[in-house]
Amino acid sequence: MKNNDISLGISLIISTVFNPFLVLFLTILISNKELIQKQPQQALIFFIVNATLPLIFYFYYLFNNKKRMFALANVPREGRNTIFLTAIFSTLISTILFTFTEQNTVWVYTSMLLTVFFAIYFMVNKYIDKLSLHAGVFAFSMVYLVDKSSVAFVIFLAALPIIYWARIKLNQHSWLQLLIGTSVGMFVGILAWTF
């Protein structure tokens, strides 16, 4: 086996392990562990409302274009717009639903935060350049978890260069796309510190 084949395989594994959907899901689980244990029904509704529509469009795109299932980078810049729009729509619906039914404010604020995150990604993706969702979601998650769970999560930001290497090795992003994605993720993560 060639060294290039091995490094491509490793970069694909890294990209799969740090899949944005998986990282974001785990982040919300970890940061709201106690709340989810106390009110599992609200958490289930939150995840269903926020994730169903974007995942349907994500899998539809992958099946329709015969792509690998777990590497979002296989969705080109144009294909991401629909996924981001459905994410914005879903998070807005979640915000409205949890606000008007007077549920726990954590779900309202988290929905609002995700709306801002996906709106920024949609705008930059549509009008400027394709951003790395892998780097952005990971940076957002670690900064978010520093405030909501433990300062120890700051150590995991050291994994960003590994994610950068994998995304570049797979020819999915440029350095600029990775850095801008990380910056947006960190900005929205710090924004979460206000509530």
Side-chain angles (χ1 to χ4, degrees), residues 132 160-161 164-165 168 173-182:
S132 172
L160 275 171
Y164 285 9
W165 172 81
I168 289 172
H173 291 289
S174 67
W175 280 103
L176 182 62
Q177 293 167 342
L178 289 159
L179 291 172
I180 295 174
T182 301

Side-chain angles (χ1 to χ4, degrees), residues 24 28 31-32 35 42-51 86-101 103-119 140 144 148 188 191-192 195:
L24 194 55
I28 293 170
S31 62
N32 297 299
L35 179 60
Q42 285 185 15
L44 183 62
I45 291 168
F46 174 84
F47 285 115
I48 289 171
V49 171
N50 282 289
T86 58
I88 294 166
F89 177 76
S90 296
T91 54
L92 279 173
I93 293 297
S94 178
T95 303
I96 293 167
L97 175 69
F98 281 97
T99 300
F100 286 111
T101 57
Q103 303 300 319
N104 193 305
T105 57
V106 168
W107 301 121
V108 176
Y109 291 142
T110 304
S111 296
M112 289 169 49
L113 190 67
L114 292 174
T115 302
V116 170
F117 181 82
F118 288 116
F140 162 77
Y144 182 82
K148 305 299 181 206
V188 178
L191 184 66
F195 61 87

Side-chain angles (χ1 to χ4, degrees), residues 95-159:
T95 303
I96 293 167
L97 175 69
F98 281 97
T99 300
F100 286 111
T101 57
E102 298 180 5
Q103 303 300 319
N104 193 305
T105 57
V106 168
W107 301 121
V108 176
Y109 291 142
T110 304
S111 296
M112 289 169 49
L113 190 67
L114 292 174
T115 302
V116 170
F117 181 82
F118 288 116
I120 293 171
Y121 258 79
F122 171 75
M123 297 298 287
V124 173
N125 185 70
K126 184 168 177 68
Y127 297 110
I128 299 173
D129 198 4
K130 177 176 108 172
L131 297 181
S132 172
L133 196 57
H134 278 80
V137 166
F138 185 77
F140 162 77
S141 295
M142 294 309 109
V143 171
Y144 182 82
L145 287 169
V146 162
D147 182 55
K148 305 299 181 206
S149 187
S150 169
V151 177
F153 280 98
V154 77
I155 295 167
F156 292 105
L157 287 173

Side-chain angles (χ1 to χ4, degrees), residues 58-76:
Y58 172 60
F59 287 120
Y60 172 77
Y61 179 86
L62 294 180
F63 289 133
N64 198 33
N65 294 290
K66 297 179 175 81
K67 302 281 184 175
R68 278 177 271 138
M69 224 182 268
F70 295 107
L72 182 66
N74 289 330
V75 180

